[in-house]
Amino acid sequence: MKMALKLAAVLGVAIVAGGFVLDRAAQATAEPEKQPAEDKVLHAYGDTLILKKEPVGGMFSHKSHVIEYEFSCDTCHPDLFERKRGAAKASGDYNHPSMEEGMYCGACHDGDTAFDTVEEGNCISCHGSDMVEPETIVFVKPVKAVIFNHTEHTEMGFDCASCHDELFEMRVGAAEEKPEEFTMAALYDGKYCGACHNGDDAFASDTLCTTCHIGVQGFERMHGGEGKAAAEEH
Ligand code: HEC
Ligand code: HEC
Ligand code: HEC
Ligand code: HEC
Ligand code: HEC
Ligand code: HEC
């Protein structure tokens, strides 16, 4: 049975909106029906209203998949995805290897039904970035300057999932947005770089300070600034 449509019949309206948790809505059938304001409704799909607010956000859009590409709810629910935001992510295998085996988005994004997940030019369609790893990243918060050589780390054999997204978001600057958390104490606690730089998997975070900390002069040298001349005098 088409779960969403069945629910639609129960509720009179199925709500595809971030503001509503459907489970809660289902439990609340006894309450007076909440009818979304008309200017919030993007499209009526039978009894199902697609609201302007997207429930999933980020890389997946119900609007395009349901309206433009005309997939019915039961194409995806519940076999490919639970009707619960974050469920796929919580499953622990919401990743590229699974997709390449035809699970999740990969049921269609296989280069046949829709663009695939492996060709370089396609990354940007889902991730909003071409996913090209920056070669080096220099952190300047809370202190100047810490070097992270991205390419060297991936060339050591770490796959992307060793760091993304549990240790680091795939976005330069994300960790630095919380300078009070991105600290040596956190590293010693096994977070961020400290997940590996613990003296076991890689040199410990309480040693070799200057291997990571290139300092203000190192930073200026990299950026061709005043530190350059000063550094060359040594
Ligand atoms: C092409 C696949 C696809 C189709 C078709 C589709 N959905 Fe979804 N839906 C998803 C994905 C992906 C999620 C997010 C699941 C996750 O995060 O694990 C989702 C989540 C949801 C959620 C939870 C949203 C939230 O914020 O908690 C609801 C409700 C939902 N879908 C309803 C519908 C309804 C109703 C239809 C038909 C009008 C529909 N979906 C069609 C893929 C689809
Ligand atoms: C059809 C959409 C889609 C395309 C195209 C796509 N990805 Fe993804 N990618 C995803 C989804 C979905 C996830 C899991 C996201 C999550 O965990 O929230 C993901 C996760 C990732 C991750 C995290 C680690 C992992 O394996 O889960 C990396 C790295 C990644 N993608 C790289 C790429 C690169 C590089 C490309 C282009 C060659 C690409 N992606 C193309 C949908 C896509
Ligand atoms: C039921 C099949 C199906 C599933 C499942 C599916 N897609 Fe799609 N998707 C399509 C089709 C068809 C297109 C149209 C593009 C094409 O023809 O290559 C598309 C287009 C897109 C686009 C292009 C821009 C847009 O919004 O229209 C993005 C991004 C996208 N899908 C992301 C995803 C992600 C992420 C997932 C998994 C969470 C997913 N899709 C699951 C069939 C699907
Ligand atoms: C050893 C850890 C590590 C590994 C392995 C790793 N990354 Fe990263 N990546 C980072 C860190 C750290 C950042 C910066 C995050 C921040 O600033 O909060 C980053 C950022 C990124 C960014 C953001 C770029 C930007 O301009 O915003 C992309 C894209 C990225 N990584 C892709 C990848 C891909 C693809 C792989 C696998 C081939 C990968 N990463 C493997 C640690 C890693
Ligand atoms: C997934 C594990 C992992 C994570 C996470 C990680 N590293 Fe490393 N890193 C290594 C390994 C392994 C080496 C090789 C040296 C060794 O074995 O001691 C290394 C080497 C280095 C080196 C010396 C070689 C070079 O690339 O110049 C620096 C500097 C470095 N890491 C900085 C960082 C910083 C800064 C972070 C956090 C932003 C970080 N690393 C996160 C595993 C990791
Ligand atoms: C594996 C890499 C690495 C090593 C080794 C390392 N640090 Fe750090 N350190 C970082 C990162 C990453 C940050 C946060 C980013 C930033 O401040 O630019 C940081 C931040 C700091 C900060 C500011 C935040 C805080 O905790 O007060 C101080 C001070 C600091 N480090 C001192 C040291 C000293 C002293 C050593 C040697 C005993 C050391 N670090 C060794 C990576 C490292």
Side-chain angles (χ1 to χ4, degrees), residues 52-80:
K52 280 181 183 156
K53 194 168 174 194
E54 275 292 336
V56 182
M59 62 173 86
F60 176 80
S61 156
H62 270 102
K63 184 182 139 200
S64 62
H65 286 80
V66 173
I67 298 170
E68 274 172 58
Y69 316 131
E70 301 185 324
F71 289 113
S72 63
C73 315
D74 66 352
T75 318
C76 293
H77 298 300
D79 287 353
L80 295 177

Side-chain angles (χ1 to χ4, degrees), residues 1 27 45 78 83 86 100 106 113 145 150-152 172 195 227 230:
M1 176 69 196
Q27 286 162 9
Y45 184 84
R83 250 184 310 96
E100 281 162 42
T113 309
H150 206 267
T151 320
E152 267 181 39
V172 169

Side-chain angles (χ1 to χ4, degrees), residues 139-146 176 182-185 187-188 193 197 203-209 212-213:
F139 299 108
V140 295
K141 273 187 213 149
V143 297
K144 232 179 190 177
V146 174
E176 286 165 298
F182 195 31
T183 60
M184 292 312 294
L187 266 59
Y188 298 153
C193 324
H197 286 278
F203 63 86
S205 299
D206 59 1
T207 57
L208 304 176
C209 315
C212 295
H213 287 269

